[in-house]
Amino acid sequence: MEVGKPVPAPEAPRPELARSGPPLGEEVHWEVLEQTEEFRDLVRRRFRFVLPATIFFLVYYFLLPLGNGLAPNLMKTKVFGEVNIAYLFALSEFVMAWVLAYLYIRKANTVFDSLAAKVRARAGKGA
Amino acid sequence: MSITLVLFLIVVGITLVITAWAARRTKTTVQFWAAGRQIKGWQNGLAIAGDYMSAASFLGIAGLIAFNGYDGFMYSVGWLVAYLTVLFLIAEPMRNTGKYTMADVLAYRMSPVPVRSAAAFSTVAVSASYMMAQMIGAGSLIKILIPTLDTNLKPYFNWDIFGTHLDPSITMVGVLMMIYVIAGGMVATTWVQIIKAILLMSGAVLLTFLVMLHFGFNFGHFFDAIARVKDKATGLNFTQPGILYKYGQKQVFGIDLALIDNVSLGMALILGTAGLPHILMRFFTVPDGKAARASVAWAMGLIGSFYIMTTFLGFGAATLVGKANICAKVVNGACVGATNSNLAAPRLAEFLGGEFFGTTGAEFLLAFIAAVAFATILAVVAGLTLAASGAFSHDFYVNVVRTHLLHGHVSEREQVLVARITAGLVGLLSIWLAARIGATANAAALVAGVAFVIASSANLPAILFTLFWKRFNTWGAVACLVGGTVITIWLVAIGPGWTLPAVKNPAFPLQNVGIVSIPLGFLLAIVGTYIGDLVKADRLSEVTFHEIDVRAQTGLGAEPNPVAA
């Protein structure tokens, strides 16, 4: 063994890691699974939905307090009767949240779940 | 015996029967902490709604809208949108990788001793602030709504402990929550929360229906009436923004102070929910990730509908009762003493009951809303007790002290026993602390806000980076968990509003500190990680990332549902 260049000791598995979840046996190689086409596809698809959706809801949400503070006269504009843009915008936040949640859940039930099942099946076969 | 007392005893009776039933199903740790992971998605959705919608959101928001009009609605919006963060980023990965507490997920990748201790610290800080607000609110509410109860309880809870005189109402709430949690654990807590959610929704639907009935189901007439209510100080009417957040008055760094405060509040609301330990814990009670997703959907439906109805309650109280008539004590139709915004929903119920069903109706509806508010408080404090005792017993005692410091094996029996003991201790401590700070009750709402800010500045970066950032390590996690908590508390302490009466020129200008503390929390996590990298303190976290990455995304190897397994 070369002196002065310590060989990194093989890391002992942490006792903690074995605790959560049922024993999976030796055959699960997480790093290999992570590289499979199925897993990368799952992550890519989820990311492609979640990232734009998150940016959208953050922007949409903060438009409301920013609008109220920066353009109060616009927000006070009456749309019908005494109902103004400020109230309708606030209500639309609820609709926005429900619609985004519906879209995510539909996508998860149809696309993400089946991809995740494929990855799990591969692990079962000792990928 | 008054109607109020009868309804109140019914609520207590039902919850105690549930607890007795749940106690027989609470023998193991997975039953105590996670209700055996057998809660269905829709049930968990109701329970999340019950865990989340506190007295502050029911009575508090209705009151804010009744007193300040439109601006009070801002809280409602943030509290729903927050669940998108939970749905997209937190719910399923949590269920897929965790066991009983938030720290279980972090300890997956990090050194268990420091990270569990740090997570226990932030969990207790969040839960304690939330708990104090609930308990103090409970004390004053019961005194106002069911005064006979407080008087009747006095002889039994007439104790002085360490120089603090216990408050009878607070003590009773505390004792009830201890019974639920100690005897029935998560099973009892879940069902108390489900019942509360149903009661709260029925109360809100009933009041909304009666408000609209009053206006002949004509939305236009309702809004005409709201627009006739004017705020004296600003001259604005109640449909317009700007009454609570007085834009264009003060500036900080050249930006409108009210605007920063409002945006800052929004940040804490929509990011904080995803870091509240008592909400996160709920995701461990369902069989799998799919059920966790479904439970968020149910929760969002309920929470959203409820918060939309807060405008009917709040505006209803503003138009039908009027700010001047909303107070604790009404004699011959006029207020005696100061107005109290928390009484907006109860006074509205009294008015509507009287309008449609006569004197008995007024009495009954007021009693019903008081019982709903009481059930609301019980459900929330039970969830908080469970989260705080989880941090003490599961994270700190079992996993840090016994397993890692003493290298011992902890039996199921001992774990459940310690869980029950810590729940009792958390309960006793809360009763005592709430009675002690109860005198400065003005700070109650502020303290609840602090819980959201700590959750978003300390817990959220730790969870998100653990799940999604490969380089994240123990140093980064401890830095944001401890640093985020300390910075938040410090900023609030030197800001306005904490010390009463309010300081004229506080060292920190903002009431809502999130806009500063949340970015700082994330920054600490990043800086801590790079320092940890430099000193090569934690090489395992990057290796284990592959495992948590696959597990979080696919549910592979997740904690099983015992029945299915």
Side-chain angles (χ1 to χ4, degrees):
Chain A
M1 193 188 287
E2 231 178 301
V3 181
K5 199 179 173 196
V7 177
E11 305 279 3
R14 286 181 189 167
E16 205 60 27
L17 297 178
R19 281 250 223 75
S20 200
L24 285 163
E26 293 297 313
E27 73 274 19
V28 178
H29 301 292
W30 303 104
E31 234 167 307
V32 179
L33 269 184
E34 209 181 19
Q35 297 305 319
T36 58
E37 194 43 49
E38 286 93 340
F39 184 78
R40 290 161 65 125
D41 197 27
L42 170 66
V43 173
R44 208 163 36 228
R45 279 167 188 257
R46 202 189 281 268
F47 192 70
R48 258 200 313 234
F49 181 91
V50 166
L51 186 73
T54 304
I55 293 171
F56 176 79
F57 90 72
L58 287 176
V59 170
Y60 196 87
Y61 173 73
F62 283 108
L63 272 180
L64 180 63
L66 288 174
N68 284 339
L70 298 174
N73 289 328
L74 172 74
M75 298 298 271
K76 284 174 197 161
T77 311
K78 292 174 196 170
V79 179
F80 56 87
E82 290 289 341
V83 180
N84 55 23
I85 292 183
Y87 185 73
L88 291 176
F89 194 172
L91 274 188
S92 78
E93 297 269 356
F94 288 80
V95 178
M96 179 274 294
W98 282 330
V99 168
L100 278 188
Y102 170 76
L103 291 177
Y104 173 80
I105 287 167
R106 200 182 58 175
K107 194 132 199 156
N109 286 342
T110 54
V111 181
F112 305 152
D113 278 355
S114 58
L115 281 170
K118 274 187 199 162
V119 180
R120 286 198 301 268
R122 263 194 99 126
K125 278 182 259 154
Chain B
M1 203 152 45
S2 70
I3 308 174
T4 322
L5 204 57
V6 173
L7 287 182
F8 163 83
L9 287 175
I10 291 175
V11 170
V12 173
I14 293 174
T15 52
L16 287 179
V17 169
I18 290 173
T19 307
W21 167 82
R24 281 183 285 132
R25 282 158 186 77
T26 308
K27 303 264 191 288
T28 62
T29 45
V30 70
Q31 288 169 333
F32 189 90
W33 295 121
R37 306 195 206 283
Q38 287 173 33
I39 304 294
K40 293 189 175 66
W42 66 269
Q43 294 169 340
N44 198 38
L46 273 168
I48 291 172
D51 205 3
Y52 190 61
M53 298 189 289
S54 59
S57 55
F58 176 41
L59 303 173
I61 296 302
L64 271 179
I65 299 176
F67 278 38
N68 306 291
Y70 174 85
D71 276 350
F73 195 26
M74 287 298 98
Y75 278 93
S76 300
V77 174
W79 272 327
L80 175 71
V81 175
Y83 275 88
L84 288 177
T85 321
V86 178
L87 178 67
F88 291 165
L89 302 170
I90 303 292
E92 293 165 59
M94 270 283 166
R95 174 59 188 87
N96 287 342
T97 53
K99 199 172 179 185
Y100 303 138
T101 63
M102 177 188 90
D104 287 336
V105 177
L106 310 182
Y108 228 104
R109 288 183 59 193
M110 316 300 168
S111 302
V113 172
V115 95
R116 277 196 191 269
S117 311
F121 170 70
S122 73
T123 297
V124 171
V126 174
S127 305
S129 350
Y130 215 115
M131 177 85 90
M132 284 311 107
Q134 296 293 323
M135 296 279 266
I136 295 167
S140 51
L141 266 178
I142 293 174
K143 278 188 201 61
I144 294 165
L145 296 174
I146 327 173
T148 44
L149 184 71
D150 198 70
T151 341
N152 289 339
L153 285 172
K154 241 177 202 135
Y156 306 102
F157 295 120
N158 202 13
W159 303 327
D160 276 290
I161 296 176
F162 300 123
T164 300
H165 193 73
L166 291 189
D167 177 293
S169 304
I170 291 179
T171 311
M172 185 204 46
V173 168
V175 168
L176 279 172
M177 96 192 167
M178 279 159 66
I179 295 174
Y180 302 151
V181 177
I182 293 174
M186 183 54 105
V187 183
T189 305
T190 302
W191 285 99
V192 169
Q193 287 168 344
I194 290 175
I195 290 184
K196 165 267 179 89
I198 295 170
L199 274 176
L200 185 60
M201 289 306 284
S202 336
V205 169
L206 179 65
L207 290 186
T208 301
F209 177 80
L210 292 177
V211 167
M212 285 321 284
L213 189 64
H214 177 95
F215 289 101
F217 290 94
N218 188 323
F219 207 68
H221 288 173
F222 184 35
F223 264 75
D224 290 343
I226 301 166
R228 282 195 295 272
V229 184
K230 294 266 193 308
D231 177 61
K232 283 197 190 89
T234 55
L236 293 165
N237 81 50
F238 267 33
T239 63
Q240 296 171 327
I243 296 174
L244 187 60
Y245 303 103
K246 296 180 174 63
Y247 301 110
Q249 289 198 344
K250 258 199 220 164
Q251 294 208 326
V252 196
F253 309 120
I255 310 169
D256 196 339
L257 181 68
L259 181 65
I260 303 182
D261 240 349
N262 198 357
V263 169
S264 183
L265 169 76
M267 285 177 73
L269 293 183
I270 62 168
L271 299 175
T273 305
L276 291 175
H278 64 290
I279 298 294
L280 296 177
M281 231 180 155
R282 290 235 51 92
F283 294 116
F284 303 126
T285 65
V286 291
D288 52 26
K290 200 177 161 93
R293 186 193 302 152
S295 54
V296 184
W298 276 92
M300 283 183 79
L302 288 164
I303 293 169
S305 320
F306 176 79
Y307 284 126
I308 289 179
M309 287 191 280
T310 56
T311 57
F312 291 83
L313 307 189
F315 285 141
T319 52
L320 303 178
V321 186
K323 186 175 169 178
N325 300 318
I326 297 173
C327 55
K329 203 169 174 195
V330 181
V331 177
N332 298 329
C335 266
V336 181
T339 56
N340 181 338
S341 69
N342 281 330
L343 272 295
R347 290 284 167 249
L348 175 69
E350 196 177 23
F351 172 88
L352 292 167
E355 182 182 345
F356 294 106
F357 312 104
T359 325
T360 327
E363 207 184 321
F364 182 81
L365 229 65
L366 176 64
F368 176 62
I369 292 304
V372 169
F374 179 66
T376 293
I377 292 164
L378 287 180
V380 176
V381 291
L384 291 167
T385 309
L386 206 56
S389 56
F392 277 125
S393 73
H394 176 70
D395 290 331
F396 194 69
Y397 178 78
V398 173
N399 279 300
V400 172
V401 178
R402 289 294 312 271
T403 309
H404 285 282
L405 298 182
L406 302 177
H407 302 288
H409 172 77
V410 198
S411 70
E412 274 284 305
R413 244 181 91 108
E414 181 182 342
Q415 290 195 36
V416 176
L417 181 70
V418 172
R420 293 197 150 116
I421 294 172
T422 46
L425 292 177
V426 167
L428 290 177
L429 198 65
S430 315
I431 293 172
W432 186 78
L433 269 176
R436 176 141 196 107
I437 31 178
T440 52
N442 286 6
L446 191 68
V447 174
V450 174
F452 277 83
V453 187
I454 300 178
S456 50
S457 322
N459 295 355
L460 187 68
I463 298 168
L464 282 183
F465 285 152
T466 298
L467 290 171
F468 301 111
W469 187 26
K470 195 172 168 182
R471 296 195 70 162
F472 194 48
N473 56 30
T474 307
W475 281 55
V478 172
C480 67
L481 286 169
V482 176
T485 307
V486 172
I487 287 174
T488 303
I489 295 173
W490 178 65
L491 286 178
V492 171
I494 61 168
W498 184 261
T499 35
L500 294 170
V503 201
K504 220 174 171 107
N505 286 307
F508 185 75
L510 297 174
Q511 177 118 29
N512 299 298
V513 304
I515 201 165
V516 176
S517 70
I518 297 170
L520 273 180
F522 278 87
L523 193 69
L524 277 173
I526 295 167
V527 171
T529 297
Y530 282 105
I531 294 177
D533 251 6
L534 282 180
V535 299
K536 298 205 178 356
D538 190 17
R539 283 168 301 171
L540 260 186
S541 64
E542 208 167 312
V543 181
T544 46
F545 175 74
H546 304 297
E547 181 174 349
I548 205 167
D549 190 24
V550 176
R551 284 190 177 224
Q553 299 282 343
T554 63
L556 185 63
E559 286 286 327
N561 168 7
V563 170

